[in-house]
Amino acid sequence: MLKSQLYDFCARKYHFIRDSYYILRYRNNMERVQKVISKKEVVNIVFLAMNVSMWKYDKLYELLKSDKCFNPIIVLAPRIVDATEVIRQHDIDSMKAYFDKRGYFYIDGYDVINNHGINLIDLNPDLIFYTQPYENAICKQYDFLRFRKSLFCHIPYAFIIVKYNWNYNLLFFNICWKLFYPNKLYVDYFKSYSRYGWKNLAVTGYPIADLFLDSSREIFFPWKLKNDKLKRIIWAPHHSFARKKEKFQIANFLEIYDSMYYLAKELAGKIQMAFKPHPHLKGVLYKHPDWGQKKTDDYYKKWEDLDNTLLHEGDYVDLFKTSDALIHDSGSFTVEYLYVNKPVLHIDVANVTEHFNSMGLLAYNAHYKAKSMADIKQFLFEVVIAENDPKRMEREQLLKTYLLPPNGKTASENIYNEIKQALHK
């Protein structure tokens, strides 16, 4: 056995033993903690917010805030992996602006310079919503293994379309009190991969769908030009190209970043284009040997300079709703853009479908496909500009079958009711 293989074997064995210990400890403790929390007059619910793009809790927060049985608290806890101090500060500032605009109460719980969070115990958290299930994604003060008197909740920060073990069988999933997932397909995924996660999984719908499907919601128009003759195109590149050991590599950014900018410039009289990078892309580029901070910042700024282009980071619901089409190689957007039922193009890499679960395949098949810039141009001219969209009915059927929240309620109402019922509130 090679040295690297022996190391990998030992690492897997260690994590299995360690995880088994914590699963036993937390699951044996879960029922007792729930009984204690159920007796409280007011339940403190902490949301650890990482950045605006991953914040999916608007409607749920508002429901909890209006109920005297609950005290929702937002704590700013930016992602530290692939994020420099500059990026973390940007995420914090963006979240402050977002929450201030909506009048949400939040606590700035993170010291950027020292990479240190507040003592969360001081807030007496009963339920803690983690945005991501990954260990070390946020500062160590918020590590879920620190909290023995709290119950953990999770709404996926993205629509999970891949089939790998790390999407279903992490330690966090197996000790989580409640997992709130979009549809019944995920029950089967968790049963196939997870030791215990499926036992606490509730099918509630996907909370951001509440914003997409709310026709009464006021829309902020994010585009520079209010000219309906110009088609509004989003380009949303993923970040998964830099790690050699990473299985899930679907990103094309390094191959097409210049071509996409010049395409937008070339079609100035026909389209305007929004550059909507994955929130982790900037951090990955900062560390890339051929990029770095200056080149990355200069490139991002280029998208702000043209009359018909814009850089859009953060909340994207209004961007989607006011757009005419999406071009991407993302993960979650493969499903999320289907909520607005507009033409969507996936830029392919070799064997991309090997990564997908059945939900991912269904969504992917409702896309137009591109393997070159010529294919992207063809999509823009023939489908978007000419408004010839033969996949529209396929997307509509997929939306009705798999994406609408169950029980005739919004996803947030389903999650809220699940919490109230479990705690007898």
Side-chain angles (χ1 to χ4, degrees):
M1 182 180 291
L2 296 175
K3 185 176 180 180
S4 61
Q5 292 175 320
L6 178 61
Y7 175 83
D8 288 343
F9 172 79
C10 292
R12 288 195 301 271
K13 193 73 173 176
Y14 163 77
H15 282 290
F16 180 82
I17 295 171
R18 187 204 70 144
D19 289 1
S20 297
Y21 164 74
Y22 282 116
I23 289 170
L24 180 64
R25 190 174 85 169
Y26 274 85
R27 293 195 70 83
N28 285 345
N29 193 43
M30 192 179 294
E31 186 176 347
R32 182 189 65 79
V33 174
Q34 180 176 331
K35 287 181 179 178
V36 171
I37 294 173
S38 296
K39 294 176 182 178
K40 291 188 175 184
E41 187 175 341
V42 178
V43 176
N44 292 323
I45 303 181
V46 170
F47 292 90
L48 294 173
M50 297 180 73
N51 60 46
V52 174
S53 285
M54 292 184 182
W55 174 261
K56 304 285 198 293
Y57 311 115
D58 273 352
K59 295 293 186 182
L60 177 59
Y61 176 88
E62 290 163 6
L63 285 169
L64 293 168
K65 191 69 177 175
S66 66
D67 189 328
K68 63 182 180 180
C69 294
F70 300 109
N71 176 36
I73 308 166
I74 300 170
V75 175
L76 308 187
R79 178 182 172 90
I80 62 174
V81 178
D82 289 333
T84 62
E85 287 184 12
V86 172
I87 293 172
R88 283 176 255 163
Q89 188 62 57
H90 175 269
D91 285 344
I92 289 173
D93 293 342
S94 298
M95 286 191 286
K96 286 181 178 179
Y98 183 90
F99 296 136
D100 284 341
K101 182 179 178 181
R102 287 156 179 78
Y104 294 173
F105 173 72
Y106 63 86
I107 295 173
D108 187 354
Y110 179 72
D111 180 341
V112 172
I113 295 175
N114 297 308
N115 185 25
H116 197 280
I118 62 171
N119 183 3
L120 213 59
I121 298 295
D122 291 342
L123 301 179
N124 297 311
D126 298 309
L127 306 184
I128 306 176
F129 274 83
Y130 281 85
T131 302
Q132 288 193 327
Y134 315 125
E135 294 181 57
N136 305 319
I138 52 180
C139 65
K140 63 182 180 181
Q141 286 73 29
Y142 303 144
D143 186 331
F144 51 82
L145 294 179
R146 287 173 172 256
F147 305 105
R148 294 290 305 278
K149 297 180 180 180
S150 305
L151 298 174
F152 309 136
C153 300
H154 179 61
I155 299 168
Y157 66 96
F159 217 111
I160 306 302
I161 64 166
V162 295
K163 59 186 178 182
Y164 296 118
N165 186 65
W166 47 268
N167 286 112
Y168 312 100
N169 197 36
L170 296 178
L171 172 60
F172 177 79
F173 293 132
N174 288 297
I175 65 174
C176 206
W177 178 62
K178 292 289 181 183
L179 298 167
F180 303 105
Y181 271 71
N183 58 46
K184 291 181 179 179
L185 293 176
Y186 289 89
V187 177
D188 294 332
Y189 303 154
F190 272 88
K191 281 185 176 180
S192 296
Y193 291 97
S194 178
R195 284 196 254 179
Y196 294 99
W198 60 272
K199 292 186 176 182
N200 297 323
L201 189 145
V203 176
T204 58
Y206 190 51
I208 201 172
D210 300 345
L211 302 179
F212 284 125
L213 300 173
D214 184 359
S215 58
S216 64
R217 178 178 174 273
E218 183 180 358
I219 296 177
F220 169 74
F221 189 81
W223 304 85
K224 286 182 180 178
L225 305 173
K226 294 185 178 181
N227 182 350
D228 290 339
K229 292 183 179 180
L230 298 177
K231 296 297 183 181
R232 297 185 283 267
I233 314 300
I234 306 166
W235 174 41
H238 201 254
H239 65 92
S240 60
F241 53 76
R243 299 186 183 94
K244 292 181 180 179
K245 292 184 178 180
E246 189 174 274
K247 282 185 176 182
F248 187 54
Q249 296 198 34
I250 58 173
N252 298 269
F253 176 82
L254 296 181
E255 288 77 30
I256 65 172
Y257 70 92
D258 257 344
S259 298
M260 289 300 293
Y261 174 78
Y262 287 110
L263 177 61
K265 192 173 183 178
E266 175 190 340
L267 299 181
K270 298 184 182 338
I271 69 169
Q272 51 182 322
M273 187 177 290
F275 174 48
K276 175 66 182 79
H278 190 284
H280 300 166
L281 177 61
K282 183 179 285 186
V284 171
L285 290 174
Y286 275 12
K287 295 181 179 180
H288 194 281
D290 297 329
W291 279 73
Q293 183 172 337
K294 185 180 186 307
K295 182 176 178 179
T296 303
D297 290 347
D298 288 346
Y299 181 79
Y300 274 51
K301 187 178 183 303
K302 282 172 64 173
W303 284 89
E304 296 179 317
D305 292 344
L306 293 180
D307 290 340
N308 73 315
T309 63
L310 64 145
L311 169 65
H312 193 97
E313 299 176 278
D315 174 43
Y316 51 88
V317 172
D318 291 338
L319 182 74
F320 276 22
K321 293 185 79 167
T322 56
S323 67
D324 293 300
L326 169 69
I327 298 169
H328 75 105
D329 53 11
S330 182
S332 187
F333 284 3
T334 305
V335 177
E336 289 184 28
Y337 199 71
L338 299 178
Y339 282 108
V340 298
N341 195 14
K342 296 174 181 178
V344 54
L345 178 77
H346 194 282
I347 308 172
D348 282 356
V349 296
N351 305 316
V352 65
T353 56
E354 292 180 2
H355 301 293
F356 293 156
N357 58 26
S358 56
M359 184 70 243
L361 287 172
L362 286 166
Y364 172 81
N365 289 335
H367 280 57
Y368 299 94
K369 316 295 190 305
K371 295 184 181 298
S372 66
M373 287 304 300
D375 293 339
I376 294 173
K377 279 189 176 182
Q378 184 178 7
F379 168 75
L380 288 175
F381 279 102
E382 295 185 6
V383 178
V384 184
I385 295 173
E387 299 182 354
N388 177 27
D389 181 16
K391 284 189 172 288
R392 180 177 179 82
M393 294 301 295
E394 184 178 352
R395 296 192 306 268
E396 188 173 323
Q397 187 59 47
L398 188 59
L399 175 64
K400 291 178 180 178
T401 306
Y402 293 101
L403 303 183
L404 297 180
N407 308 320
K409 300 183 182 298
T410 67
S412 297
E413 287 171 336
N414 286 327
I415 296 168
Y416 169 75
N417 290 336
E418 184 76 21
I419 293 172
K420 282 184 69 76
Q421 183 177 353
L423 297 179
H424 311 294
K425 295 295 182 184

